[in-house]
């Protein structure tokens, strides 16, 4: 899915004759039923959407229980603030292109997803891949009334 028809046209040119359906849709408001997908991938999405928390929650919602989510993106995962050049880049680009100061672990806390693995791809520790699992909801048990 992508919000812009121009990006979908670019993707369509790369898909070729594979059985892949491209849809114009907002990642913060996915029009899929709950628990639709076994696997969900967010590739360079959380750094560009206005609300990365809502986007990850939507990805969690449409993923089946015990399903996997893969997130690849730019994150600043350190306790100290980003260096001045990154803060300046974020001030210039954050509202238009990409945010470079988002902390994935802070975003992840808004979900019940379980972190399976995280891998730094380098680039000064800015690019990361996360493998997440959607934890199945606890099964309610009936209690005997007295």
């Amino acid at each position: 899915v992508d919000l812009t028809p121009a990006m979908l046209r670019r993707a369509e040119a790369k898909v070729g004759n594979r059985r892949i359906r491209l849809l114009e849709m907002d990642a913060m408001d996915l029009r899929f039923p709950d628990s639709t997908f076994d696997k969900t991938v967010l590739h360079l999405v959380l750094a560009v959407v206005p609300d990365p928390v809502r986007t990850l929650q939507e990805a969690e919602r449409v993923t089946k229980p015990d399903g996997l989510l893969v997130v690849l993106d730019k994150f600043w995962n350190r306790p100290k603030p980003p260096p001045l050049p990154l803060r300046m880049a974020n001030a210039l680009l954050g509202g238009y292109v990409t945010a470079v100061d988002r902390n994935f672990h802070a975003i992840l806390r808004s979900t019940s997803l379980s972190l399976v693995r995280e891998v730094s791809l380098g680039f000064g520790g800015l690019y990361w891949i996360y493998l997440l699992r959607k934890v199945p909801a606890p099964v309610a048990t009936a209690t005997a009334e007295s």
Side-chain angles (χ1 to χ4, degrees), residues 47-145:
V48 297
V49 292
D51 189 345
V53 167
R54 178 73 185 138
T55 302
L56 188 58
Q57 290 170 339
E58 275 292 279
E60 177 182 27
R61 181 186 65 76
V62 301
T63 303
K64 292 178 181 177
D66 215 29
L68 295 174
L69 290 89
V70 177
V71 175
L72 179 140
D73 220 321
K74 299 175 287 304
F75 297 103
W76 186 258
N77 291 328
R78 299 181 182 121
K80 63 181 180 176
L84 183 59
L86 271 182
R87 290 195 312 262
M88 289 174 62
N90 194 63
L92 292 172
L93 303 175
Y96 302 102
V97 179
T98 187
V100 293
D101 63 349
R102 293 183 176 169
N103 181 295
F104 180 74
H105 296 280
I107 297 167
L108 181 62
R109 281 193 292 273
S110 70
T111 72
S112 59
L113 296 167
S114 173
L115 179 61
V116 176
R117 186 163 183 213
E118 64 182 323
V119 177
S120 172
L121 297 178
F123 299 97
L126 196 57
Y127 282 87
W128 292 83
I129 293 180
Y130 295 94
L131 179 61
L132 311 166
R133 183 170 304 281
K134 181 174 180 177
V135 179
V139 177
T141 57
T143 58
E145 293 183 11

